[in-house]
Amino acid sequence: MGRAVTVATCALNQWALDFEGNLERIVRSIAVARSKGARYRLGPELEIWPVLHRNVRYNCRVIFLNKKILLIRPKIALANAGNYRELRWFTPWSKARHVEEYFLPRIIQEVTGQETVPFGDAVLATKDTCLGAEMCEELWTPNSPHIDMGLDGVEIFTNSSGSHHVLRKAHTRVDLVNSATAKNGGIYIFANQKGCDGDRLYYDGCAMISMNGETVAQGSQFSLDDVEVLVATLDLEDVRSYRAEISSRNLAASKANPYPRVKVNFALSCPDDVAVPTCMPIQWRYHSPEEEISLGPACWLWDYLRRSKQAGFLLPLSGGIDSSATACIVYSMCHQVCLAVKNGNADVLADARRIVHDETYIPEDPREFCKRVFTTCYMASENSSQDTCNRAKLLAEQIGSYHINLNIDVAVKAVVGIFSMVTGRTPRFSVYGGSSRESLALQNVQARIRMVLAYLFAQLTLWARGMPGGLLVLGSTNVDESLRGYLTKYDCSSADINPIGGISKTDLKNFIQYCIENFQLTALRSIMSAPPTAELEPLVDGQVAQTDEADMGMTYAELSIYGKLRKIAKAGPYSMFCKLINMWKEICTPREVASKVKHFFRMYSVNRHKMTTLTPSYHAENYSPDDNRFDLRPFLYNTTWSWQFRCIDKQVSKLEKKEGISPVEDVD
């Protein structure tokens, strides 16, 4: 009897509504799978569009063989949290182990010669094995379908997925796939979407095949290849012998409720396959978080650039960590493009030639390609230091970007002059005797003028250089600053897209160190050692007096903790205080913790309105404050938090009384 089965899984860079392109990628992946000897090929979620059954729209897998549809399997568990709102578009199939007749549309009938096909929760019984289907979210649910399917004798589980990238998420996904067959035995085939599907998410491939709890084939996580096909040959007898040794599994299987089986007159194996070599377990190779930052956002930027039909990017480069990290991601993108072309990727070469408007061009040197597609701009003011100017210039030289130096003082004075002419009053910075309102307004004018100039130069820089096209403006606000609201509304945080908007300051610092070591960008050393500053207030003796953490009243490390507790742990002011008095008991008194928590929630709530206009950012953290789809909360809060803060004060008093500390006034 046949025992060796060769199966294929895919990672495809599909794009919503790109019907012709999506079809071409599907057909190409089928051809590759067949050429590698696969008898079964799996693609990502929604590679074939939704199905309307009895006027209800379902997210479905359509399984077919030789122009005949075998089964339409609707999704049972829909993703409806975080970035996903599947219930807006689809209805989950709620009839377990139930199959109905589906009447095919006439246009499909003409192709398949079928009038009706099975629709529902069923499995496929071939001549040599049994296959069952899961879809994306169903792997992540507590009672995944593969559990009951495995007990009912299903040996091969297939999962068409649309799973997005988050830093450090790959471990969880791989563990879920391997654990699906660790206790129950079987073969698990996982396919995934890859690339930017026109929104804030990057789908990171990682197609994989696992057997009996161990990975046997690993696909790439980050790649510019639109089509990736992973093939493995496995021995069905290994599944059967593995299951035979698990007594508890067999006892449960003897009582399992059976699935409807769709009989398929086809075998995945061949009769004479004794000499066919099979795949052995491998160790999954994980990227470090720094590598993930270098590769994921870079691939996302490439997809956005080529699909938007623009000629490159423009970045206001301040000489600080955030904008420098953004520049390094663009430089990494250029590396990936040159590497893909070197490896024979014709799609990337065609896209690169179209972007630079040169049909004979071949990108070979990342710095040279960067010069063509990346413009950086240092926008100095009277409050800027020579140090940041030099840092920006040196980094631009090392990555190869087309660099512009300009001064915004004329524009700032013109805008402030209009205000003075109308009101008869001239605002001053605090160091010159002005109020905090005056100082903040003057800082905001500088920041907003930089945004206006960024878009002006993005539209006309290439025109001035005699080149066609326009540039996409890149933002460079990190996730912690967005959470705190430490940004000017409609300043350089307002851009077309932001590759670091979902990444913490701590991770960005580690990424900068990675770039120093791996890209030999020595200019980053001085950027790393300099304290982060907005440079919007007057210099003192020619030196920067303003720093970000002093302005915010909290450190970036603290902000990351606040963000995770607020979003992931769902903690309000009092809950956060209760958690932090234990987390920080070695470094802060309860009264100090209370003061920090109160200050964070005041600033977070006062500035929440800024999230409504936040630039679309690469989603990389699960505590992102993105208001568009991920973190749906009010943007008008009662910023006094009176009841919550009183509860904190009472708890502080109780704790101090217990420690014998004399009571003092309520915490600020």
Side-chain angles (χ1 to χ4, degrees), residues 479 482-483 501 566 604 608 611 614 623-627 630-631:
V479 70
S482 296
L483 175 66
R566 180 200 70 99
Y604 158 73
R608 179 65 192 183
M611 298 304 96
L614 197 65
Y623 69 93
S624 168
D626 169 33
D627 180 71
F630 182 71
D631 189 36

Side-chain angles (χ1 to χ4, degrees), residues 104-122:
L104 291 171
R106 188 179 304 167
I107 190 173
I108 304 298
Q109 291 183 28
E110 293 173 357
V111 175
T112 68
Q114 300 164 286
E115 187 175 295
T116 64
V117 295
F119 184 103
D121 185 18

Side-chain angles (χ1 to χ4, degrees), residues 35 42 51 158 169 253 299-300 308 369 384 430 504 552 572 606:
S35 70
L42 176 72
V51 177
T158 62
K169 176 183 173 182
C299 294
W300 182 75
S308 66
F369 184 56
S384 302
S430 300
S504 72
M552 293 191 298
V606 165

Side-chain angles (χ1 to χ4, degrees), residues 67-239:
K67 289 191 177 182
K68 300 291 182 183
I69 294 176
L70 305 176
L71 172 67
I72 301 177
R73 199 283 201 176
K75 193 172 182 180
I76 296 169
L78 301 185
N80 207 54
N83 287 295
Y84 299 106
R85 297 288 183 273
E86 277 198 85
L87 284 172
R88 284 186 177 183
W89 315 110
F90 307 114
T91 300
W93 181 255
S94 57
K95 303 173 185 178
R97 299 176 178 82
H98 176 75
V99 175
E100 297 175 354
E101 258 192 328
Y102 177 76
F103 288 80
L104 291 171
R106 188 179 304 167
I107 190 173
I108 304 298
Q109 291 183 28
E110 293 173 357
V111 175
T112 68
Q114 300 164 286
E115 187 175 295
T116 64
V117 295
F119 184 103
D121 185 18
V123 298
L124 300 177
T126 66
K127 290 182 176 182
D128 51 356
T129 187
C130 188
L131 298 91
E134 282 190 330
M135 294 177 68
C136 197
E137 178 71 9
E138 293 168 5
L139 173 63
W140 300 75
T141 58
N143 190 24
S144 296
H146 69 256
I147 298 171
D148 288 336
M149 287 191 294
L151 293 176
D152 190 35
V154 172
E155 295 179 328
I156 300 176
F157 311 100
T158 62
N159 188 314
S160 292
S161 198
S163 180
H164 68 279
H165 173 240
V166 171
L167 290 175
R168 305 172 180 87
K169 176 183 173 182
H171 294 77
T172 304
R173 188 191 291 140
V174 172
D175 288 346
L176 279 171
V177 171
N178 285 334
S179 65
T181 58
K183 289 192 289 186
N184 209 354
I187 296 168
Y188 203 101
I189 309 172
F190 178 86
N192 196 20
Q193 164 79 357
K194 70 187 303 188
C196 169
D197 190 23
D199 58 22
R200 293 159 172 79
L201 304 182
Y202 178 78
Y203 298 89
D204 57 335
C206 285
M208 65 178 292
I209 301 172
S210 173
M211 184 173 72
N212 298 339
E214 296 183 291
T215 303
V216 294
Q218 173 186 356
S220 64
Q221 185 173 11
F222 307 106
S223 166
L224 299 187
D225 295 334
D226 284 346
V227 175
E228 181 182 6
V229 179
L230 194 65
V231 175
T233 300
L234 303 164
D235 192 337
L236 290 172
E237 290 301 311
D238 288 340
V239 174

